[in-house]
Structure formats: structure tokens, C-alpha cells
Amino acid sequence: MRTYHCFWLLFWAGQLHQSFLTPLSKRTSGFPEKEKVLVLSGNSRQDLHRSKRSWMWNQFFLLEEYTGTDYQYVGKLHSDQDKGDGSLKYILSGDGAGDLFIINENTGDIQATKRLDREEKPVYILRAQAINRRTGRPVEPESEFIIKIHDINDNEPMFTKDVYNASIPEMSDVGTFVVQVTATDADDPTYGNSAKVVYSILQGQPYFSVESETGIIKTALLNMDRENREQYQVVIQAKDMGGQMGGLSGTTTVNITLTDVNDNPPRFPQSTYQFRAPESTPLDSPVGRIKANDADVDENAEIEYSITEGDGYDMFGITTDKDTQEGIITVKKALDFESKNLYILKVEATNTHVDPRFLYLGPFKDSATVRIQVEDVDEPPMFSRPAYIMEVKEDVPLNSVIGTVTAQDPDAAKNPVKYSVDRHTDMDRVFNINSGNGSIFTSKPLDRETLLWHNITVIAAEINNPKQSSRVPVFIKVLDVNDNAPEFAMFYETFVCENAKAEQLIQTLSAVDKDDSYNGHQFSFSLAPEAASSSNFTLQDNRDNTAGIFTRKTRYNRHETSTYFLPVVISDNDYPIQSSTETVTIRVCACDHRGKMLSCNAEALIHPTGLSTGALIAILLCIIILLVTVVLFAALRRQRKKEPLIISKEDIRDNIVSYNDEGGGEEDTQAFDIGTLRNPEAIDDNKLRRDIVPETLFLPRRTATARDNTDVRDFINQRLKENDTDPTAPPYDSLATYAYEGNGSVAESLSSLESVTTDGDQDYDYLSDWGPRFKKLADMYGSMDSDKDS
């Protein structure tokens, strides 16, 4: 027999109603009598191996966003073994148990302690169990149940972007897709219409429209022109509850820009343009700018300018400035006021990117007339040719005219022109020019062999305005005349063997000519008349500008004649005929039977262009001797500098030192102290001169003045001691000369410098008492006293 115990979970059921959120203490009042019971049964028999769960339903619903002040009642747990004596205890576990959901362990009532938000968590999974309070053992198996949060319309639709940006071409057709906006609602789309969104347009009509279900924005007006209005701001609303009253809504802004298409042709703001251009305007220089206006932008506004017709079609050109879309008129050919002073052009402006859809609006080009007035300027003289080429023979006499250059003033005034040669191109002043008529003539002899071409520059300047000048190159070619005689191609020095046979070829000669020959040079060779009959050799002209030297006799003796000098006459066939006499040196040498030279006195045969070995050795020896002489001379001079000043005791002489110092006169108070000369005993040796730089590092030693009545021996000993201890003395023996006369001279000082220190007149009568030697002085100074008395 089985006993079933029931575990009841009571939950108020019925329609969602405000009373569903009533607190637990008041839940019995006003609630319907009908309730749903969840029964859980268990087997009490000991031999039963499994328990049977009898949940009649395991899913419960709870409204979100509860706004009451008390806890929200969820349901009740009850076991059929609960006798009401408090022996059972109900426990709850799972999502939010103990925090979000609590249970009365005695009664089994479940409550929610906080507001629940379905958008945060829509489902909570919990487990319920009843245990014996005393033993702690479960009396029912643990069972799982679900609490679902019922949705309410508490979230408004939210767009994916706060601001949308879109663009469409201008002039688009009605219904052209612009952009799609999307709004989402966080409410439960499976429960009611809380998440059903409907779109509508609040701002932007009648230009745009929106599909209510998809949020696709389309154009609603035909031929919207960007040039009239470029920016549009559209406000779209998304409302839930299917757009019904009471639904929540959200809005977004859509910024729509009309992009440009080429629907506007270029237009010149004026039909005629006028410009002025000086006739001296350089080629490719701008004359003026014109611009056609185009309401379009970017590539749709790009314009290409062209000259279609006019009398200046080939004189001017036009290009487009890509930055400003202006047409730049430039000069293609040189302007000349005197030839034509007015040009009329027709300029056309055309769009480079034409949209075929808008060709019906008309041709996308425009034209205008351009008048260009050429202004007269003072132009420099113009030569008749861009360059001159002249020819002159090299033997032309001095001051011969070789050609003429011509230049004239292109202006209407026709100012006179003077010519000159740019001396930077004719530094040697070979040519000169007549300043009046432009004829060029020679001023120095010419030589084609020295310089074939002379490139000079002639300057033509207006006499009234020398700043207006122009230049032209003149190329002068010097033509050749036969003024150079032919000569040997090289220096010929050959040899002949002593055992040579007659008619044996010993040397072949060739010649060159500095002159130019149009038909080629033809030289003739012959022996000089003085050698033609008596020569030991013969000369044969080969008629090909070469000649051969042959022996005339059978044997030669180098001891009799070691060297032969053979004069050869070389002539050309030009007019006038030029000839020269060249000498061939022939040495006689000993040879073997095969004609190979064995010995010869002419080392030049071995080194024809250098020096012999003996000469090189001699030159090298001379250089070595010269170097040794220079080294010895330098060593002797250095040794002589180190010798002592006094070589022997007998070589005693005074050392004269020349200072080459001149005083500054009476005004010079820096170089010398005149008081020192008046009183020698007051000399201060340590006082340096202030007008020169000191030359020694040792301070001058002050010499003690000899005392009055000092014996000469003491004076000499004192001076000797001073020289022995003087650090500035030379490191070798030297002669020190002392001159001391004592301090008690009867005549005292004879210096005229000291006489100026006395204010009164001196008496020179004592000179008469000194004897006949001082008679002359006594007469001189005595006569001065007599003169004063007179």
C-alpha cells in the first residue's frame, strides 16, 4: 500500500490585474477563490527505490516594474506532510534566492523584494524543498520551477544612430531611395504590441517621405535643384504599440545633401573683354584672364577654353588654370606694333564633363569676344639676320673689310644705330667695326694654322638711347693660302754600314704641310744643288709624298767620315709654290754581314730622343755633389752659431750693440727720463720703458752705486761678484769692461746737460788756472762773459 504526500505550491492565477500586486497581508481580500495548486508527492515506503514528482505546473509569471511599497507576492509552497505544527521548514535556492526572492520558511510564501526589469533578466530559475526542522533531512525531493517576468510597455523605440547622413544626386526622380533608418524596442516582441514600431516623418515634407514599416526614406518631390537648396534636415519618428495612442516614441535626424550633377552650362558674365599688351611681351607670357561662371561644382564645373576664330588665332593661345578655372591668354608669336596693333579673338568655354541626361537644357558652352590692343614700346635695334657667317683669307691686308652687319630701329622713330664689337669675344682685337655702317675689317694679321674660326659678337645700340641694344653672333672663317713650306714629318737621323753596297736603301722620308689642300698635298723631293753632284748618297722621289735615300758607292769608312749631312729640298704644288730645305743626318757604323749595327759613335741612334747612360750618370753625380755641399754648408753655419763669443784670450774686442732707436724729441716723456741724465746716481734700473715691449724675462739687476772715496780695487771686486751671480750672463767666458773714474774729479762733470740745472750764471775764470791745454776753453767762455757784460 502506497501513501502519497502532497507538496502544494499555491499561486494566484487569473488575468493580469492591479490586485495581483497586492501585499501579502491583504492578498485574501478581493482575490478570486480560484487558485492553482502544485502538488509534489513522495513515497514513504522503505522498499521504494524512486520518488515520484507530481508538479502540476512549474512556470509562474510576475509583472515587471512593480511600484508598490511592500514586497511583491509571488506564490506559496505547501507540503502534504505539513501538519501545521512547525516541524517542516521550506527553503529556496537558485537565481536571486535570498536576495531578490525570499521565502517564509514556516508558511512557504515567496515574495520579490525588488523591482524586476524584464529587459535585464526575463526568466529566473529556482529550486524549492521542504526539510524536517529537527533532523534537517528533506521530506520532499528538490524541485525546480521558473518565474517569468511579464513585459509592460516601459521602453520607447531607440534609433541605431542619433544622426543619419545621406546624399542623393540633385534632379533625382520621385521615389529615389535615400537612406533607411532603423529603431529597436527593448520590450518583449512576443507579448502584445509593446515592441511593434511604426515610422512617420515629422519634418522634411513635401521633399521626402518614409515607409511606415521599413523606415526607408525616399524623395517625394521632382527636380530638386542643388543650386537652389543643397541641405535638408528630416526628422523621423518611431512609435511603438503599432502607432496607437499611448505608445512610446523616439526621433532621429537625417541630414540629406544633394550632390551636384552637370545641369548648368558655363556662362561668361560679359560678352566682350579688352586687354592691352606691350609689343615687347615675351613669348608664352600672359596677356589677361577671362572666366566663365558655372553654377556646378567640382568636375562638373571644369571648363576648357579655346580660341575658335579671329585675326589673332595664330598669335595668341589660351590655357585653363585648373585651380581657378580661368582662361589665361598668352602670346604665341612676337608682337609688332608697327605691323598690327589690334587683334580680335573669339573665345569659347566648354564643360569637359557633360551629362547626356541634361543635354535637353541646351549646349553646355558659351563664347565671348576678346580685343587685344598692342602698345608701342621703345625696342632695341633688330639685325637683319639672327647670325652672320663670313670668310676671309689669312693673307688679307690689314684694315680689309670682310663683311657687313645691318641693324635698324624697328620703331616708327627709326633712331640711328651705332655698332661695336664686344671685346669680351675679341680679346686680341683682331677685328674692328665701323660704328656707322657696320662693316667689319681686320686690325691684326690672321693665321689659319693658329686659329681657324673667330667667333665675335657685334652690338647695335641706338645713338639716342644706348640702353636699347641688341647683339648678334658673327662667325668668321679664315681661309687658307699656301704660306707654309712642307717639312719633314719627323727628325731623321739614320746610319749606313761601312760594308754597305751601292744603291742600297737606308732611309725613307715623308713630309707634312700645315696648309690645307683641297685636292690633297703633292710633295716633290730633291737634293740641294750643292749636294746633288758631290754627295755620297742619292735621293729618289717616289711620287707618293715619300722619298728614299740610297747609297751611291760600295763602302764607307767611319774613321775618315763618321757623319754625313744630306740636305733635302721639299716643294709643294700649290700656288705660290713653297719649299724648304731639311737635313738628314747619316752616321757611318760598323755592321755584321746581315747589316745589323754593331758599334757606332752615335748614341743618339740608340736613344734618339733622350740622353746617353754616361750623361745620365754624370748629371746624377753632379746632383749628389750639390746636395752634399749644401748639407755641409748648413752644418758649418750651425756649428759657427754655437761657438763662444770670444774664441781666444787674444781676441778681445768691444761688442757694439745697435739699438736703432730714435727718441721722440723734447715732447717725448715716455721713452726716457731726463732727470736720470741730470742725476746718474738716482737711476732706477727696475723701471721699464713704457713705449716698448720688454724683451727679457729677467728683471734688470740694480747695481749699487759706489760709495764716495771707494778704492778702485773694491769697485772692481764688487763688479766681478755681481757678474758671477748675474743669471742673465752668457754661458761662456766673456769680457766685462768697467770704466770708473772715481767721484772726486776736480773738473767735475763736463756735460752740458747738467749745466741747465743751475739757475744762476757760472764763473768760468777757473779755466785759466788749468794751464795751456784749457786756454781755448777759457777764451771761449771768457768771451761769453764779456759779451754778457757788454
Side-chain angles (χ1 to χ4, degrees), residues 761-767 777-790:
D761 296 332
Q762 295 188 15
D763 187 6
Y764 297 101
D765 293 338
Y766 60 86
L767 294 176
L777 289 175
D779 294 340
M780 292 174 58
Y781 286 92
S783 61
M784 291 175 60
D785 292 339
S786 61
D787 292 339
K788 291 180 181 180
D789 295 338
S790 62

Side-chain angles (χ1 to χ4, degrees), residues 270-556:
Q270 58 193 68
S271 60
T272 303
Y273 294 85
Q274 292 188 359
F275 299 103
R276 292 180 177 272
E279 62 176 336
S280 60
T281 304
L283 299 182
D284 297 328
S285 298
V287 174
R289 289 173 175 254
I290 60 175
K291 183 178 182 180
N293 298 325
D294 194 327
D296 298 321
V297 294
D298 298 333
E299 67 175 12
N300 297 318
E302 292 182 0
I303 301 174
E304 183 178 354
Y305 297 90
S306 61
I307 299 176
T308 57
E309 57 184 73
D311 53 2
Y313 180 81
D314 59 341
M315 298 294 296
F316 299 93
I318 188 168
T319 58
T320 302
D321 188 335
K322 298 300 181 181
D323 297 329
T324 62
Q325 295 300 316
E326 292 178 316
I328 305 174
I329 301 175
T330 58
V331 179
K332 290 173 58 178
K333 293 184 178 180
L335 303 177
D336 187 7
F337 173 82
E338 290 72 25
S339 300
K340 188 175 181 61
N341 57 15
L342 178 63
Y343 295 90
I344 299 177
L345 311 174
K346 185 178 181 181
V347 178
E348 188 175 81
T350 307
N351 277 137
T352 56
H353 302 280
V354 178
D355 194 334
R357 297 177 299 170
F358 305 102
L359 289 177
Y360 68 91
L361 298 176
F364 281 77
K365 59 184 178 180
D366 194 15
S367 60
T369 301
V370 178
R371 298 169 59 90
I372 301 176
Q373 183 73 41
V374 180
E375 297 179 340
D376 187 24
V377 296
D378 189 5
E379 297 177 277
M382 183 178 297
F383 284 94
S384 60
R385 301 179 191 174
Y388 291 86
I389 299 178
M390 301 179 182
E391 294 181 348
V392 59
K393 290 186 177 182
E394 60 179 327
D395 62 346
V396 68
L398 295 181
N399 298 323
S400 298
V401 176
I402 61 176
T404 304
V405 297
T406 304
Q408 62 179 0
D409 185 9
D411 298 323
K414 300 298 180 183
N415 294 320
V417 177
K418 64 177 180 179
Y419 303 91
S420 62
V421 176
D422 186 357
R423 291 306 173 188
H424 293 90
T425 61
D426 186 22
M427 302 294 291
D428 296 332
R429 297 181 176 270
V430 179
F431 301 96
N432 211 333
I433 191 170
N434 190 309
S435 61
N437 57 21
S439 59
I440 301 174
F441 55 91
T442 60
S443 57
K444 287 186 178 181
L446 302 176
D447 187 5
R448 188 200 69 86
E449 289 72 32
T450 303
L451 186 61
L452 177 62
W453 284 93
H454 294 267
N455 302 328
I456 65 174
T457 299
V458 175
I459 303 173
E462 294 182 7
I463 296 178
N464 299 333
N465 186 9
K467 292 183 179 180
Q468 294 294 337
S469 62
S470 57
R471 297 167 176 262
V472 68
V474 179
F475 306 103
I476 303 174
K477 182 179 181 181
V478 181
L479 301 179
D480 184 48
V481 295
N482 192 24
D483 58 346
N484 290 280
E487 57 188 12
F488 280 151
M490 57 181 294
F491 176 73
Y492 289 103
E493 185 174 8
T494 185
F495 71 96
V496 62
C497 295
E498 289 182 310
N499 55 356
K501 298 179 181 180
E503 301 299 327
Q504 181 179 347
L505 177 65
I506 62 174
Q507 182 66 48
T508 300
L509 307 177
S510 62
V512 294
D513 195 337
K514 295 180 180 179
D515 293 324
D516 189 13
S517 177
Y518 298 101
N519 299 322
H521 292 291
Q522 292 184 4
F523 304 124
S524 60
F525 299 85
S526 62
L527 292 177
E530 63 273 13
S533 59
S534 61
S535 176
N536 294 307
F537 303 92
T538 60
L539 181 69
Q540 179 180 339
D541 191 348
N542 298 326
R543 304 298 179 181
D544 59 354
N545 294 336
T546 63
I549 300 177
F550 294 86
T551 57
R552 175 174 285 183
K553 60 183 181 178
T554 301
R555 296 185 62 84
Y556 295 87

Side-chain angles (χ1 to χ4, degrees), residues 94 112 115 151 436 491 654:
R115 292 178 60 181
D151 183 49
F491 176 73
D654 291 337

